[in-house]
């Protein structure tokens, strides 16, 4: 089964978070930091799931958090940004609706 990482990224100097999925978190972090700024990897959250399931959960989270969406410039991934106030609801959905225990600190992730 192919695995994906569903991530909630916290930025060091911005007041929003980024939701997304990837099969290569290190490559994705480099792209995101190039386009959007430094990610606070220790404060960010992630969990691993099948590609299909991670995509379904990501879509559900984005629908639930639509009122928290922030407008940012149109670089790749611009639709995946939400105000920092959405962090608690996102974590709550992951923990209580999906029964997942997310990991914190992307510096500890290894493929």
């Amino acid at each position: 089964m192919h695995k994906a990482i569903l991530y909630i990224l916290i930025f060091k100097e911005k007041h929003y978070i980024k939701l997304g999925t990837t099969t290569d978190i290190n490559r994705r972090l480099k792209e995101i930091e190039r386009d959007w700024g430094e990610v606070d990897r220790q404060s960010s959250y992630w969990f691993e799931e099948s590609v299909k399931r991670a995509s379904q959960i990501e879509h559900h989270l984005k629908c639930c958090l639509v009122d928290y969406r922030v407008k940012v410039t149109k670089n790749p991934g611009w639709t995946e940004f939400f105000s920092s106030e959405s962090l608690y609801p996102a974590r709550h959905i992951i923990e209580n609706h999906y029964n997942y225990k997310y990991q914190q600190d992307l510096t500890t992730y290894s493929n």
Side-chain angles (χ1 to χ4, degrees):
M1 173 174 54
H2 292 136
K3 295 283 187 173
I5 299 292
L6 190 143
Y7 56 80
I8 302 173
L9 301 181
I10 312 295
F11 289 86
K12 288 195 174 191
E13 297 185 17
K14 297 183 171 71
H15 298 287
Y16 49 74
I17 65 171
K18 184 172 186 338
L19 287 171
T21 60
T22 185
T23 56
D24 186 340
I25 191 65
N26 294 316
R27 176 191 51 78
R28 189 67 183 124
L29 283 168
K30 286 178 188 174
E31 294 168 353
I32 289 167
E33 289 185 321
R34 179 192 67 224
D35 294 336
W36 300 103
E38 190 174 2
V39 171
D40 184 347
R41 294 173 188 225
Q42 289 183 316
S43 297
S44 295
Y45 298 87
W46 62 276
F47 66 89
E48 198 169 38
E49 183 51 271
S50 72
V51 171
K52 181 179 179 181
R53 188 71 174 142
S55 179
Q56 291 169 339
I57 295 169
E58 176 191 19
H59 178 74
H60 181 235
L61 282 170
K62 288 177 181 178
C63 289
C64 290
L65 300 175
V66 70
D67 291 339
Y68 294 96
R69 191 176 303 272
V70 295
K71 294 181 181 180
V72 294
T73 58
K74 288 191 177 186
N75 284 346
W78 70 275
T79 63
E80 300 171 342
F81 287 92
F82 301 86
S83 72
S84 57
E85 289 82 23
S86 67
L87 180 59
Y88 176 79
R91 288 177 32 200
H92 181 78
I93 291 166
I94 291 167
E95 289 179 338
N96 296 305
H97 185 75
Y98 291 103
N99 266 348
Y100 284 107
K101 184 65 179 162
Y102 51 81
Q103 304 293 318
Q104 192 169 8
D105 191 353
L106 277 164
T107 62
T108 63
Y109 178 77
S110 63
N111 305 22

